[in-house]
Amino acid sequence: MGKMIYMDHSATTPVKKEVLDEMLPYFSEYYGNPSSIYQLSNQSKIAIDTARQRVAKALGAKKTEIYFTGGGSESDNWAIKGVAFKNFDEGNHIITTKIEHHAVLHTCEYLETKGFEVTYLEVDEYGMINLEDLENAIKDTTILISIMFANNEIGTIQPIKEIGAIAKKHGVLFHTDAVQAVGSVEIDVKDMNIDLLSLSAHKLYGPKGVGALYIRQGIKIDPLITGGAQERNKRAGTENIAGIVGLGKAIELAYDNLNENNSKLISLRERLIKNIYEKIDYVRLNGHPSERLPGNVNFCFQFIEGEALLLSLDMMGIAGSSGSACTSGSLDPSHVLLAIGLPHEIAHGSLRLSLGTANTEEEVDYVADSLVGIVDRLRKMSPLYEKVQGGN
Amino acid sequence: MYSEKVMEHFMQPKNVGEIENADGIGEVGNAKCGDIMKMYLKIEGEVITDVKFKTFGCGSAIASSSMATELIKGKTVTEAMNLTNKAVADALDGLPPVKMHCSVLAEQAIKSALIDYSHKSGVKIEGLEDVDFDDEHLHDLPEED
Ligand SMILES: Cc1ncc(COP(=O)(O)O)c(C=O)c1O
């Protein structure tokens, strides 16, 4: 087998060399605890401050509105539980969507067991919410709207600015899980009326286990992690300095090169989509044709099952992912694919290829060609295919 | 996650296809759950002289189908009747706990084809009356975390 072709950047990304280089001194050289007063810890304090500034700049936020966390899941948990518990006296109703990441969905389900009421908005066949549905769902008791910026499976980007405007009009807080969007989409939290925003470093060529939550100044929120006075008393725990430094560098790089990266990714994406459409029958592109993440390609291949597809790709050195039940360890295929209206049997045959800046046209063509053979082989084994072929 | 045997039978499955004028055809599973197995048997006298399968499903479903067909090819109807899912899984050097239902499906596909054979030929097969295909609960097999 030759070199691996990695097309699972929505799952995670490699840490960029420039990012790692900035992180390394903070393990053994500048290891001081930023809460200490001697000079060594000054380095750590400065490093965190620089990273905070970089994250703030990327989002159009103020430095004091950025709080570092242990990743996207923690940021989502904090935003939702923190706002919910703080505002329980005002109301107990939360609005979210059926296609959120489990970090949001399971948090909302948990809150339902604690006396909160949650509305899960439907999406259309492209994975878009309906703004009228959103507005109609708001009631006197609504305290939070949590809608993801971009979907991790099908890549659909929501009309965030319009959602922000609706939230503002009704005086409801608006949180967005922007874990997939940050680094790929231009974001201005003020212009978009975002009150809370979750992000994670490992999706943008930074390290795993570190992220941030943007909390608009003046918003009241309970802490999720209590303890020491770190992060201005809002998130306890000695800071993951190297990780935070990595996040800062990664986000800066992502936005410095945003246009260049995106035009490359979009051209690769369109090439891959076109290739698959042209070469393989009975396929369906999932997600929105234009309002989608620059690197996201998600197809259903009818009559075959996604895990078998992934295993076959893996044997050819290609790394992708699927929303099939067999890859999630559960009975049902992905909740996102079901929410866009796909029948179970079609949802089982999904494949997500998420491109990164290191991917090339040659790789895209190789993947498409490999898929032709793999899909053909699996379909020839499939009793469902035999039926459409007019067999018995 | 899978044994080499599973990967071998997934990448180069044995006995894929259909048998024209098969003596018994069985189909189990459903597309909604993500796996369907269809088995074709050619039976001469007591002996299964040929067997073919078609499967829609994950890697272990395809490997289980392939292994099951290998295990009954050339065997008697009674031997095929007695093939357990565990024997299929063992022959594959084990399946991950969440994939054990694939071996169950393979066992059932064979039994279902034998039932069809029994109906068509009038040959009684011991034990077949007791077979119960409980598709719905197939996935509820004990799972380890
Ligand atoms: C949309 C979305 N939200 C949240 C997360 C969780 O982020 P993390 O892995 O940093 O906890 C992910 C990543 O899997 C994601 O794609």
Side-chain angles (χ1 to χ4, degrees):
Chain A
M1 196 197 299
K3 89 181 207 310
M4 179 189 58
I5 298 181
Y6 186 75
M7 292 198 179
D8 202 15
H9 293 82
S10 285
T12 195
T13 54
V15 175
K16 276 226 161 87
K17 178 161 190 317
E18 301 94 302
V19 172
L20 182 65
D21 286 347
E22 282 211 15
M23 292 172 66
L24 284 176
Y26 293 92
F27 287 102
S28 308
E29 215 175 318
Y30 307 125
Y31 54 86
N33 189 321
S35 302
S36 307
I37 61 158
Y38 34 76
Q39 290 178 31
L40 176 66
S41 41
N42 256 340
Q43 287 295 340
S44 312
K45 267 182 242 159
I46 293 167
I48 295 177
D49 192 65
T50 305
R52 205 185 304 282
Q53 180 57 48
R54 285 169 165 174
V55 174
K57 182 167 173 249
L59 303 177
K62 285 186 228 149
K63 207 169 67 177
T64 49
E65 294 173 318
I66 304 301
Y67 298 84
F68 292 113
T69 67
S73 299
E74 184 191 325
S75 296
D76 285 341
N77 269 264
W78 183 15
I80 297 168
K81 288 178 188 164
V83 165
F85 289 128
K86 188 75 184 179
N87 292 283
F88 196 42
D89 292 341
E90 317 275 315
N92 69 338
H93 181 232
I94 297 167
I95 300 171
T96 185
T97 78
K98 290 197 164 163
I99 61 164
E100 298 297 311
H101 189 271
H102 284 139
V104 169
L105 278 185
H106 290 167
T107 302
C108 287
E109 284 161 18
Y110 166 78
L111 287 175
E112 284 184 281
T113 70
K114 300 286 167 198
F116 289 90
E117 185 202 343
V118 182
T119 299
Y120 300 90
L121 296 174
E122 308 268 349
V123 294
D124 67 15
E125 58 176 311
Y126 303 112
M128 281 284 180
I129 68 147
N130 179 311
L131 292 170
E132 255 173 61
D133 287 354
L134 168 65
E135 197 150 18
N136 291 336
I138 298 174
K139 6 186 211 187
D140 292 347
T141 52
T142 308
I143 50 174
L144 178 68
I145 294 168
S146 179
I147 294 177
M148 73 197 316
F149 207 119
N151 185 268
N152 45 304
E153 289 185 42
I154 57 174
T156 303
I157 299 171
Q158 301 295 336
I160 291 298
K161 189 172 172 174
E162 287 77 4
I163 297 170
I166 291 173
K168 187 176 183 187
K169 178 173 144 201
H170 292 268
V172 177
L173 293 179
F174 172 36
H175 164 248
T176 186
D177 173 348
V179 168
Q180 292 289 338
V182 172
S184 301
V185 181
E186 208 124 21
I187 299 178
D188 185 325
V189 288
K190 301 290 182 269
D191 178 54
M192 294 173 161
N193 269 303
I194 298 167
D195 295 308
L196 304 110
L197 177 146
S198 304
L199 64 92
S200 180
H202 75 101
K203 310 284 188 183
L204 44 130
Y205 303 92
K208 293 164 184 63
V210 59
L213 182 64
Y214 152 79
I215 308 175
R216 184 196 288 273
Q217 194 176 339
I219 284 175
K220 305 238 178 327
I221 183 167
D222 275 356
L224 183 70
I225 316 269
T226 49
Q230 291 88 355
E231 298 298 283
R232 284 148 290 142
N233 271 319
K234 284 205 164 68
R235 200 278 189 182
T238 301
E239 297 86 341
N240 172 6
I241 316 263
I244 289 169
V245 166
L247 167 56
K249 183 64 183 175
I251 203 168
E252 184 179 80
L253 281 175
Y255 282 99
D256 280 353
N257 304 298
L258 187 72
N259 292 336
E260 191 188 323
N261 287 345
N262 281 358
S263 56
K264 174 174 186 196
L265 287 174
I266 289 170
S267 113
L268 289 177
R269 178 188 80 191
E270 294 308 309
R271 187 180 180 100
L272 184 52
I273 291 174
K274 182 164 168 276
N275 260 333
I276 292 174
Y277 265 137
E278 278 176 4
K279 293 180 176 165
I280 308 177
D281 284 341
Y282 301 108
V283 297
R284 175 195 198 276
L285 178 71
N286 299 311
H288 198 281
S290 59
E291 299 305 300
R292 72 186 299 138
L293 287 172
N296 176 285
V297 175
N298 188 314
F299 269 99
C300 280
F301 297 86
Q302 259 181 281
F303 320 119
I304 59 180
E305 194 280 330
E307 192 232 45
L309 202 53
L310 288 187
L311 280 177
S312 309
L313 284 168
D314 186 37
M315 296 308 282
M316 307 193 72
I318 302 163
S321 87
S322 168
S324 109
C326 279
T327 55
S328 68
S330 83
L331 238 180
D332 288 319
S334 124
H335 63 283
V336 177
L337 299 177
L338 296 181
I340 60 172
L342 295 187
H344 275 67
E345 54 269 36
I346 295 191
H348 283 299
S350 81
L351 173 69
R352 178 187 73 184
L353 296 167
S354 41
L355 302 161
T357 46
N359 287 132
T360 62
E361 287 187 355
E362 291 71 47
E363 288 179 338
V364 159
D365 295 348
Y366 173 76
V367 169
D369 288 340
S370 304
L371 272 172
V372 172
I374 291 168
V375 169
D376 185 55
R377 181 180 94 88
L378 293 173
R379 281 185 178 163
K380 284 198 171 124
M381 275 190 246
S382 169
L384 298 173
Y385 191 55
E386 142 197 330
K387 281 176 189 146
V388 296
Q389 294 297 291
N392 53 342
Chain B
M1 137 180 160
Y2 286 132
S3 70
E4 272 177 38
K5 261 260 145 50
V6 172
M7 285 311 291
E8 199 181 300
H9 278 264
F10 167 63
M11 290 306 287
Q12 270 116 28
K14 304 278 166 44
N15 310 312
V16 176
E18 295 153 50
I19 298 176
E20 254 182 76
N21 307 317
D23 298 303
I25 301 177
E27 184 174 317
V28 293
N30 64 62
K32 191 165 183 262
C33 292
D35 30 34
I36 300 179
M37 275 182 206
K38 197 165 177 184
M39 286 276 174
Y40 300 79
L41 302 178
K42 188 90 207 147
I43 298 174
E44 283 167 31
E46 268 287 283
V47 179
I48 298 170
T49 54
D50 198 11
V51 46
K52 291 264 191 289
F53 81 89
K54 284 223 169 160
T55 289
F56 160 73
C58 59
S60 59
I62 290 168
S64 296
S65 316
S66 166
M67 182 52 88
T69 56
E70 282 289 275
L71 289 174
I72 62 165
K73 201 169 177 175
K75 298 285 164 58
T76 65
V77 167
T78 316
E79 283 169 319
M81 185 58 214
N82 290 333
L83 181 78
T84 62
N85 81 295
K86 188 165 179 308
V88 175
D90 287 350
L92 288 168
D93 294 337
L95 285 171
V98 293
K99 300 289 184 175
M100 280 305 282
H101 74 269
C102 294
S103 63
V104 176
L105 216 53
E107 175 194 323
Q108 292 186 343
I110 291 171
K111 294 209 160 98
S112 158
L114 288 172
I115 290 175
D116 184 53
Y117 164 66
S118 174
H119 285 165
K120 281 180 181 155
S121 64
V123 177
K124 286 257 173 305
I125 303 175
E126 189 124 7
L128 261 192
E129 315 76 51
D130 309 330
V131 176
D132 170 26
F133 299 136
D134 199 351
D135 270 1
E136 291 297 314
H137 297 109
L138 216 56
H139 290 272
D140 294 342
L141 249 59
E143 283 182 8
E144 288 156 31
D145 274 330

